[in-house]
Amino acid sequence: MSAPRTVVEAAGALVWRVRAREMQVALVHRPRYKDWSWPKGKLDPGESAPVAAVREVEEETGLPVVLGRALPGLEYTVNGGTLKRVHYWAAQVAGRSDTAPMSARPPVPHTDRDEIDHWDWFDVRAAAGMLTRREDVAPLDALVEAYAKDRLGTRALVVARHGQARKRSLWGGTEEDRPLTGLGQRQSRALVPLLAAYGTARVVTSRWERCAATVTPYATAAGLTAEVADVLTEAEHVSSPARVAAVVADLLHDPADAVLCTHRPVLPTVLDVLAEHSRRVVADALPRTNPFLAPGEVLVAHTARTPRGPRVVAVETHRSPQAI
């Protein structure tokens, strides 16, 4: 029986902008390999792929970016048999509205010039010709297609299930004050860079302790005041799921990137609202079976503005590395 194949996980982003009605993307030059490629790099220990993507872009270009929708990743063999798996996202340079999430990120040192000696913006047609690896054109094609269909300029609604909490049977207090476990606290801290990667500027949470505690580290790091909503608790949801649906609809219409933290029994209503605002293929990709999201797991709904209102054009889920 052969030994398991070594897999190296990496992440990066296609940073895009529009100038004179032309779409442009950022490429980096690596002198060691004499090639042009997307800014990317290996995940640090305990780091999630989205967090690595924004870190690598800033290290290699100096650009602080906010992630948009995921793009097709690549897999290829390096070093005589090691499989390298690269995760890509669309991304844009952070703007004035991203002050809060940027303040939640640590400083990022720039890469040495012997690793990246130059980067520049290229029109997408020129970029396709500049890329050294032909496989790197695949995420570019997806980026251009999404832009042509008005599905690229998105904002994120992050739906979070609270981190792992003390078991009901072992807690002597009420449901309202049942706290996170040690793992749950680590999951809440791991959410800080993840939410910052998606430019989260609004925090909405159930009033109950295990939810509020899950998003408090991010709100504190970003200098935000969490909006506490009684309607997002399990008890209030039982009496009025329509009020939960109204909160989710409000967040979909809001231009700010946001996180909503709630409980497992509330998630079906949240997901139903997302499905109502989604294309069929996207709605089919939403979680549909209990528990919907694991403790500390998030679903990122990328939402575009359309003449028909907000439309969820892509979704992705992420678990805290602390829980894997």
Side-chain angles (χ1 to χ4, degrees):
M1 185 174 181
S2 60
R5 193 175 187 185
T6 301
V7 178
V8 173
E9 300 284 351
L14 278 62
V15 188
W16 66 279
R17 69 180 188 180
V18 177
R19 291 292 184 274
R21 299 184 179 181
E22 289 288 337
M23 187 181 190
Q24 299 179 333
V25 288
L27 296 181
V28 297
H29 183 260
R30 303 187 299 176
R32 183 185 310 171
Y33 303 102
K34 299 181 181 179
D35 69 357
W36 287 92
S37 65
W38 307 117
K40 64 182 184 300
K42 292 187 291 187
L43 275 60
D44 286 341
E47 186 177 43
S48 65
V51 174
V54 297
R55 174 183 56 76
E56 287 290 340
V57 170
E58 188 164 0
E59 283 185 0
E60 297 188 357
T61 67
L63 299 174
V65 298
V66 172
L67 297 184
R69 61 185 297 166
L71 298 172
L74 298 175
E75 290 186 356
Y76 49 91
T77 301
V78 296
N79 300 328
T82 297
L83 180 66
K84 187 169 186 178
R85 183 181 295 133
V86 188
H87 307 267
Y88 284 114
W89 280 264
Q92 290 185 279
V93 178
R96 292 181 180 179
S97 63
D98 298 309
T99 300
M102 293 304 105
S103 65
R105 297 182 186 178
V108 176
H110 291 180
T111 300
D112 293 338
R113 286 187 60 82
D114 61 354
E115 185 175 345
I116 302 293
D117 63 353
H118 182 64
W119 76 271
D120 210 341
W121 294 102
F122 296 92
D123 291 348
V124 291
R125 289 183 294 275
M130 291 286 293
L131 288 164
T132 303
R133 292 180 60 90
R134 290 299 87 200
E135 297 89 341
D136 282 347
V137 176
L140 178 61
D141 288 343
L143 184 87
V144 172
E145 180 181 6
Y147 179 72
K149 294 180 177 179
D150 292 326
R151 297 172 185 167
L152 187 59
T154 59
R155 50 199 164 76
L157 172 56
V158 182
V159 178
R161 181 180 171 188
H162 62 74
Q164 186 184 81
R166 290 278 299 274
K167 292 183 178 180
R168 288 181 171 88
S169 60
L170 299 178
W171 177 242
T174 68
E175 274 297 278
E176 295 185 19
D177 58 10
R178 185 155 60 92
L180 297 177
T181 63
L183 172 59
Q185 293 171 12
R186 294 193 296 274
Q187 290 170 332
S188 71
R189 291 192 293 270
L191 277 181
V192 175
L194 184 64
L195 294 175
Y198 291 101
T200 304
R202 185 179 176 189
V203 178
V204 181
T205 180
S206 159
R207 175 172 52 83
W208 287 2
E209 170 63 19
R210 54 192 181 274
C211 255
T214 295
V215 293
T216 291
Y218 178 74
T220 300
L224 297 170
T225 300
E227 302 170 41
V228 180
D230 286 343
V231 67
L232 295 176
T233 65
E234 293 182 34
E236 291 295 324
H237 174 257
V238 169
S239 62
S240 182
R243 294 174 63 194
V244 173
V247 171
V248 180
D250 173 73
L251 290 171
L252 286 174
H253 282 83
D254 194 301
D257 299 296
V259 60
L260 178 151
C261 186
T262 190
H263 310 264
R264 179 186 56 78
V266 184
L267 288 174
T269 297
V270 176
L271 295 171
D272 282 347
V273 178
L274 296 183
E276 290 170 1
H277 289 79
S278 300
R279 298 164 51 234
R280 174 57 63 87
V281 66
V282 177
D284 289 345
L286 291 169
R288 286 301 177 193
T289 57
N290 190 37
F292 309 103
L293 295 174
E297 187 175 16
V298 302
L299 179 143
V300 185
H302 298 282
T303 307
R305 290 180 177 272
T306 76
R308 298 169 56 188
R311 300 290 287 175
V312 179
V313 297
V315 294
E316 57 189 276
T317 57
H318 296 285
R319 294 185 67 180
S320 164
Q322 305 292 339
I324 298 175

